[in-house]
């Protein structure tokens, strides 16, 4: 699950002197947990504050064919089976192609459009929602914040990445956004024990609600298959994990164990009521029929280590060991030694004059024009500033002007010892920045899911092989992943399947 707590809020939480009782018994787990630095009231406050930030980062809330109400209905059904049945929860579908689900403290649970496209039954969706509800009822965020405070793990070397730059200028705020992404990445992953606990709680809730708990392991297998395919398409080691699996340290054997333990724990209660066998395959597939798949070309596309913005007819790349994330307001580039932020400014000044004015309050230096493909007006400059913890940081600015009123701007940030890495990222961007032809830009079309009935094996194989994909590659394997099939397997004729259409 992805947890995106802003550095300012996190610092406020970690710096508070109002200590609560160190340990308390959690009604969901029946165990004592250390949550001294985050009370239930603080959890609600932080969740409410961060909810708007999540919407902004993930393209806002999303609905299609009643999906938002459908997801909320399933979520409430699960919460009613939890130990916190009387507490309010907010369920949101996010307009993001990234396959992800996560929860904020205070009962804010999110699933992305990309994850819904991967699900094939209501029970699979319930397993995801139940898992995230388990993180909330298990108070895992409160545990992590309290443990982080006690161990003082956000000091020293990490302060360069976690600190917010002093000053309130547009540039300072933007660079702070880059840094904040690094801090959020540090706290977003729960421990394996917490993931197992969330699995156990989630399976408990979905079993009580009548869903088949085996869907939890089935959907995890899909997530792993999608993770491996994404890594392959991005040129990474498939075993390294990617996207949702990178922030969800779970394995199928641990999920299977959680299913077994939850079933045993429910015991006679589950047997006395109706068996937990509901899948709801038809209901889920009907809701996602016609759902947009992948990124909207109008908002920009990530293709491996390249970013393409068809409306502006531009394309640029970063080094292969860096990762791109397209947000609602900017593209974030993340790597081990440097980070970057990209957005567009409307300004009539030349590239060098724009950088001079943009970085004026920070004393921009080494300002110079640079060559980029197509002879576009481009310039770069360097500033040195510090975080609120007085840690020095280096920021290379890059501006590329594509027309009389449009400047594509980049901020590449790293520690003083990482200037070589900062410059490597900037150079790769500058050398790869190209303008697309009108025909090239128009070739990027939005994709949608279509639910159809499978015909003969030969017909289905031909449909799978010719299916359009976001990258134009691995059509057959993507078909298998979307439909939960093993490599080389085909669905039985007459069953409902997912295809992609442009």
């Amino acid at each position: 699950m992805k947890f995106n707590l802003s550095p300012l809020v996190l610092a406020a939480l970690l710096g508070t002197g109002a200590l609560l009782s160190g340990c308390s018994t959690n009604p969901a787990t029946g165990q004592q947990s250390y949550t001294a630095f985050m009370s239930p009231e603080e959890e609600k406050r932080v969740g409410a504050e961060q909810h708007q930030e999540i919407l902004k980062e993930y393209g806002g809330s999303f609905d299609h064919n009643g999906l938002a109400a459908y997801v909320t209905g399933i979520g409430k059904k699960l919460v009613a089976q939890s130990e916190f049945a009387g507490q309010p929860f907010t369920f949101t579908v996010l307009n993001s192609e990234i396959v992800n689900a996560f929860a904020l403290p205070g009962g804010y649970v999110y699933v992305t459009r990309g994850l819904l496209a991967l699900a094939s039954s209501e029970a699979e969706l319930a397993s995801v929602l139940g898992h995230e509800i388990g993180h909330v009822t298990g108070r895992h965020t409160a545990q992590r914040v309290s443990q982080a405070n006690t161990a003082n793990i956000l000091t020293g070397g990490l302060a360069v990445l976690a600190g917010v730059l002093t000053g309130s200028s547009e540039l300072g705020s933007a660079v702070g956004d880059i840094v904040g992404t690094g801090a959020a990445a540090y706290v977003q992953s729960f421990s394996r024990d917490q993931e197992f606990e969330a699995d156990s709680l989630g399976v408990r809730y979905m079993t009580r609600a009548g869903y088949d708990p085996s869907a939890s392991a089935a959907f995890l297998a899909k997530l792993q298959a999608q993770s491996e395919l994404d890594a392959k398409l991005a040129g990474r080691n498939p075993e390294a994990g990617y996207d949702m699996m990178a922030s969800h340290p779970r394995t199928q054997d641990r999920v299977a164990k959680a299913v077994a333990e939850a079933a045993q724990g429910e015991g006679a209660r589950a047997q006395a009521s109706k068996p937990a066998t509901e899948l709801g395959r038809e209901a889920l597939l009907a809701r996602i029929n016609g759902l947009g798949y992948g990124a909207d070309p109008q908002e920009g596309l990530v293709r491996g280590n390249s970013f393409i913005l068809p409306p502006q007819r531009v394309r640029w790349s970063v080094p292969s060991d860096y990762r791109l994330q397209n947000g609602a307001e900017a593209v974030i580039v993340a790597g081990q030694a440097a980070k970057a932020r990209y957005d567009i400014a409307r300004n009539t000044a030349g590239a060098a004059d724009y950088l001079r004015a943009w970085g004026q309050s920070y004393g921009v230096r080494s300002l110079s024009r640079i060559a980029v493909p197509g002879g576009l007006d481009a310039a770069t400059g360097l500033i040195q500033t510090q975080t609120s913890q007085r840690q020095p940081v280096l920021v290379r600015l890059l501006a590329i002007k594509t027309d009389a009123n449009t400047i594509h701007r980049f901020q590449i940030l790293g520690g003083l010892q990482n200037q070589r890495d900062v410059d490597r990222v900037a150079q790769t961007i500058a050398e790869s920045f190209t303008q697309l032809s009108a025909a090239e830009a128009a070739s990027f079309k939005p994709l949608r899911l279509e639910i159809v009935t499978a015909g003969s094996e030969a017909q289905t194989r031909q449909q799978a092989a010719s299916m359009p994909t976001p990258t134009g590659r691995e059509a057959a394997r993507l078909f298998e992943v979307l439909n939960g099939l093993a490599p080389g397997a085909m669905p039985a004729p007459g069953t409902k399947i997912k295809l992609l259409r442009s």
Side-chain angles (χ1 to χ4, degrees), residues 187-466:
V187 299
Q188 70 181 242
S189 297
F190 289 121
S191 71
R192 292 184 181 275
D193 287 343
Q194 288 173 326
E195 292 288 352
F196 178 72
E197 190 169 80
D199 277 326
S200 298
L201 292 172
V203 170
R204 176 193 301 175
Y205 304 150
M206 68 182 294
T207 301
R208 290 178 179 178
Y211 292 109
D212 184 351
S214 66
S216 182
F219 194 68
L220 179 64
K222 281 188 178 182
L223 290 175
Q224 290 177 324
Q226 180 72 60
S227 173
E228 292 170 0
L229 178 58
D230 286 342
K232 180 180 180 181
L233 291 171
R236 283 184 281 268
N237 180 0
E239 297 180 359
Y242 187 57
D243 284 338
M244 187 172 176
M245 292 307 297
S247 59
H248 287 66
R250 306 158 69 196
T251 58
Q252 285 183 273
D253 60 331
R254 289 176 70 91
V255 172
K257 181 182 177 184
V259 171
E261 289 188 1
Q264 185 178 18
E266 290 299 288
R269 170 178 175 162
Q271 295 300 321
S273 60
K274 65 176 182 178
T277 57
E278 182 179 346
L279 282 173
R281 178 175 169 82
E282 294 288 333
L284 186 282
L285 292 179
R287 293 286 182 176
I288 64 173
N289 189 28
L291 180 68
Y293 184 84
D296 182 349
Q298 294 301 305
E299 302 298 326
L301 305 168
V302 174
R303 293 289 184 266
N305 64 322
S306 296
F307 181 73
I308 305 161
L309 191 55
Q312 291 290 325
R313 294 171 52 183
V314 299
R315 176 178 190 144
W316 50 269
S317 303
V318 293
S320 59
D321 53 334
Y322 281 75
R323 181 178 168 189
L324 292 157
Q325 179 174 330
N326 185 19
E329 297 184 338
V331 177
I332 299 298
V333 180
Q336 291 295 320
K339 299 185 183 301
R341 184 183 194 273
Y342 160 79
D343 63 6
I344 294 175
R346 300 298 180 182
N347 199 289
T348 58
D353 289 338
Y354 178 81
L355 285 189
R356 186 177 293 107
W358 193 29
Q360 182 177 11
S361 61
Y362 289 91
V364 62
R365 57 186 174 84
S366 303
L367 187 61
S368 62
R369 297 185 182 277
I370 57 172
V372 297
L376 296 172
D377 179 15
T380 186
L382 204 60
I383 63 175
Q384 182 176 327
T385 184
Q386 61 183 11
T387 69
S388 57
Q389 289 82 18
R390 306 290 182 183
Q391 297 291 331
V393 289
L394 193 70
V395 184
R396 178 163 290 284
L397 306 178
L398 176 63
I400 302 174
K401 194 173 181 67
T402 53
D403 62 42
N405 194 42
T406 305
I407 293 180
H408 300 259
R409 59 184 192 177
F410 301 81
Q411 302 147 67
I412 304 98
L413 174 148
L416 297 186
Q417 72 278 14
N418 296 324
Q419 181 170 355
R420 180 176 297 179
D421 296 280
V422 169
D423 289 344
R424 178 168 69 98
V425 174
Q427 183 176 1
T428 302
I429 292 171
E431 292 178 347
S432 64
F433 193 97
T434 55
Q435 291 187 289
L436 305 174
S437 68
E440 288 173 323
S443 68
F444 296 100
K445 300 181 182 299
L447 301 177
R448 294 194 176 276
L449 282 178
E450 183 177 338
I451 309 302
V452 302
T453 301
S456 66
E457 179 177 330
Q459 179 185 8
T460 303
R461 286 192 183 279
Q462 194 278 330
Q463 288 176 315
S466 60

Side-chain angles (χ1 to χ4, degrees), residues 155-178:
T155 60
L158 189 61
V160 173
L161 296 183
V164 179
L165 294 180
T166 56
S168 59
S169 72
E170 178 191 11
L171 178 60
S173 298
V175 174
D177 289 343
I178 308 172

Side-chain angles (χ1 to χ4, degrees), residues 1-4 54 57-58 71 92-103 109-119 124-125 128-129 131-132 135 184-185 188-190 195 219 222-223 226-227 230 242-250 323 325:
M1 116 266 349
K2 181 169 180 181
F3 174 56
N4 187 19
I54 291 294
E57 180 179 349
Y58 283 86
V71 170
T92 304
V93 179
L94 296 170
N95 189 18
S96 171
E97 76 277 11
I98 297 173
V99 177
N100 210 350
F102 51 94
V109 177
Y110 306 86
V111 293
T112 62
R113 171 171 55 83
L115 183 139
L116 290 172
L118 193 61
E124 289 183 355
L125 176 56
V128 174
L129 295 174
H131 178 92
E132 301 307 331
H135 278 304
Q188 70 181 242
S189 297
F190 289 121
E195 292 288 352
F219 194 68
K222 281 188 178 182
L223 290 175
Q226 180 72 60
S227 173
D230 286 342
Y242 187 57
D243 284 338
M244 187 172 176
M245 292 307 297
S247 59
H248 287 66
R250 306 158 69 196
R323 181 178 168 189
Q325 179 174 330

